[in-house]
Amino acid sequence: MDLTPKQRILLLSLTTDWQTPIQISGRLPKEWGTLSCIKQTLKELVREGWVQANPVMFGLFRLTTEGMSIKEIELGEN
């Protein structure tokens, strides 16, 4: 799996709890990017199957089981 630097940082900041992009941005470095950049990266991770968008409450995201596995692998590589 080849994660971009932004995808990697965002994936590592996510949890299995539902979060809004604003909540997620609070866990990212200040120089990471804008809210629209966060949303775009979330969409990319959703397409990969590593992040789930809440089907009932629009604008909430969390890691999937696959996403947790990728996160553990990424943390192990550091």
Side-chain angles (χ1 to χ4, degrees):
M1 94 216 71
D2 290 325
L3 294 171
T4 67
K6 287 196 180 255
Q7 289 173 334
R8 184 176 187 280
I9 291 169
L10 187 59
L11 185 77
L12 293 177
S13 71
L14 288 168
T15 68
T16 55
D17 296 326
W18 292 112
Q19 302 173 72
T20 66
I22 292 172
Q23 290 170 314
I24 296 165
S25 72
R27 305 176 98 189
L28 298 171
K30 297 284 184 213
E31 66 277 355
W32 197 85
T34 63
L35 195 55
S36 64
C37 188
I38 292 169
K39 290 177 183 177
Q40 178 58 42
T41 306
L42 281 168
K43 288 178 188 176
E44 293 167 6
L45 294 173
V46 167
R47 278 193 297 267
E48 293 293 332
W50 301 333
V51 172
Q52 178 185 17
N54 190 310
V56 178
M57 302 240 350
F58 180 75
L60 294 175
F61 300 87
R62 69 176 179 186
L63 283 176
T64 62
T65 304
E66 288 180 43
M68 279 302 296
S69 297
I70 299 298
K71 182 177 179 174
E72 290 171 6
I73 291 167
E74 288 294 317
L75 288 172
E77 291 179 359
N78 284 339

